[in-house]
Structures are given as structure tokens and as C-alpha cells.
Amino acid sequence: MSDLSAFPVTRKWPAAFPERLQLYSLPTPNGVKVSIALEETGLPYEVHKVAFDRNDQLTPEFLSLNPNNKIPAILDPNGPGGKPLALFESGAILVYLADKTGQLMPKDVAGRYQALQWLMFQMGGIGPMFGQLGFFHKFAGKDYEDKRPRDRYVAESKRLLGVLEQHLKGRQWMLGDEYGIADIAIFPWVRNLVGFYGARDLVGFDAFPQVQRVLDAFVARPAVQRGLDIPKREG
């Protein structure tokens, strides 16, 4: 049996199955990237909910795992060389899981770098820009009388959707016929933009039929459907 006692995070979230990969997360666009990847690969894991309403992310135990106090994070008892590995940042975790399982990543070097470029496109563009739009459209920022900040992120979100729309013409997934981490990174954010954030009309989403097509195919995958509700939502 794996011994994870050296990791303070396990004192707050004890591992019932310490031989499995431990996931600390919430069902947010970044959180579900990892749960979807885990469901797609079939890698055994145990999930722990990091409750923001209790400020779990600010506890010393969680900060020992991720000093940036964000989800998701993982603790893999069977990391490189058979030693435990703690890891945060959803993009880094996706690459790690792809390398660990030999899935969700092209085998050729050129294809690998193409996957990484779209992963970074999501992390540097789609995630931050869609997230800011959500703040100014759905959350506290919606009450600002000055709509210029919101409109800035609306315009940038439309531009990013246009990049996706053009790229997806004639392609089944982001890398053509091969589904992988680029899709898992991007489409939870697209789903959140038009769903939870309620910004479909605001960004004119009907003008991006290729993005809609791939989003529909993405959410229809059984592993995606499971991963979108991990950790399970209450109520």
C-alpha cells in the first residue's frame, strides 16, 4: 500500500484508496479538464472536493499541494520512478496524464507540439478571457455602469471563437480525427461560456456553427458526461 503520510494534504483529505491517484477539485471548467481526462483514460483515482464556500483552498493543507490556491491539483502515488508526485495547474496535469497513460496525445513529435500549442491557446487566451467575460456579465462586474470592460472581453471572446471556428472547418476535433487533451482543455470553457455564464447571445454564438458542432460531440461522450459532474454537485 502506498504511504502518502508525508503530504500534509492527506491529513485534511485522508485517502481511502492511497494506491490510486488523488484528485482535489471542483466541477469548474478547469477542474473538469482533469476529471474528464481521468474518465477518458480509465486511470483509477479518488476524488476530494475542495469547497470554496469553506475556503478549503486557503488551508495550509491545500496550500502545501498548490501554493497558488487553485483547483485542480493531484497527488499521484505512482509518479515517475515509482515515487509520489504532487502536481498543480490543469494544463500541466493534462500533459502528465497523457504521458503517463499513452493516451490523448499524438505519438509523433509534430503532433505533440500541435496539441501543446492549442493547450496553451486555451490556457493563455480562452480561459482568462472567457472567465473575465463571466465576471462582467454574470457576477459582481455586471453591476458596473461602465460597460467598456465587459465589451472588451466580449470582443476578445468573439475573436477567440472565430479562431476556433476557422480551425475546426474540415476537422472532427482540434487535431483532426484524433481526440485529445486540446479538446478536453478547450470545450469545457466553451460550454461554460454559453451555458453557466449565459453569454450565448452576447457573443453571437450562433455565428460559430463549427464550434457548436464540436461542442455537441464533446459533451455527448460518456466520459465527458461523467467528468463534468466530478466532484458531484450538491442539490
Side-chain angles (χ1 to χ4, degrees):
M1 181 176 291
S2 302
D3 182 10
L4 300 178
S5 61
F7 294 88
V9 70
T10 62
R11 294 199 285 270
K12 184 172 178 61
W13 291 277
F17 304 96
E19 72 283 359
R20 300 181 186 177
L21 184 147
Q22 306 293 306
L23 169 64
Y24 307 86
S25 192
L26 279 175
T28 67
N30 282 333
V32 301
K33 292 181 200 174
V34 176
S35 54
I36 289 170
L38 287 165
E39 289 292 324
E40 292 280 10
T41 61
L43 193 66
Y45 69 101
E46 179 178 355
V47 64
H48 306 280
K49 182 178 180 179
V50 181
F52 283 5
D53 58 350
R54 297 195 302 261
N55 288 324
D56 282 350
Q57 76 278 17
L58 301 178
T59 59
E61 293 87 354
F62 187 75
L63 290 172
S64 72
L65 183 64
N66 182 0
N68 195 34
N69 65 271
K70 305 291 184 183
I71 60 92
I74 64 169
L75 175 56
D76 185 0
N78 302 300
K83 298 179 180 179
L85 174 69
L87 201 60
F88 65 90
E89 281 296 331
S90 58
I93 297 170
L94 286 181
V95 175
Y96 174 72
L97 295 176
D99 288 345
K100 180 181 177 71
T101 62
Q103 302 178 53
L104 303 175
M105 179 78 83
K107 300 297 189 291
D108 63 293
V109 175
R112 177 183 178 85
Y113 281 110
Q114 289 171 355
L116 291 175
Q117 79 176 354
W118 287 110
L119 174 63
M120 294 181 185
F121 172 81
Q122 181 276 306
M123 295 177 65
I126 284 180
M129 297 301 106
F130 287 11
Q132 292 290 349
L133 189 154
F135 173 80
F136 285 103
H137 181 60
K138 182 180 177 70
F139 298 109
K142 72 179 185 299
D143 298 325
Y144 295 0
E145 291 184 10
D146 186 348
K147 297 305 178 186
R148 285 175 296 181
R150 185 204 67 177
D151 292 347
R152 170 193 171 107
Y153 293 113
V154 170
E156 181 62 4
S157 295
K158 286 182 176 180
R159 189 190 71 80
L160 292 167
L161 288 168
V163 173
L164 290 177
E165 179 72 13
Q166 185 64 34
H167 176 73
L168 288 169
K169 290 179 180 178
R171 291 183 173 89
Q172 182 178 2
W173 300 105
M174 290 301 297
L175 268 65
D177 293 335
E178 188 171 350
Y179 170 85
I181 63 170
D183 306 287
I184 293 171
I186 289 169
F187 285 97
W189 274 103
V190 175
R191 175 178 177 269
N192 211 62
L193 177 72
V194 301
F196 182 66
Y197 289 163
R200 172 182 285 271
D201 292 339
L202 189 63
V203 299
F205 193 68
D206 290 344
F208 307 102
Q210 300 303 320
V211 182
Q212 179 71 73
R213 170 183 61 81
V214 181
L215 174 62
D216 290 344
F218 178 73
V219 297
R221 295 177 68 89
V224 172
Q225 294 177 21
R226 295 192 300 270
L228 285 170
D229 197 27
I230 295 173
K232 191 169 181 63
R233 292 174 174 83
E234 298 175 356

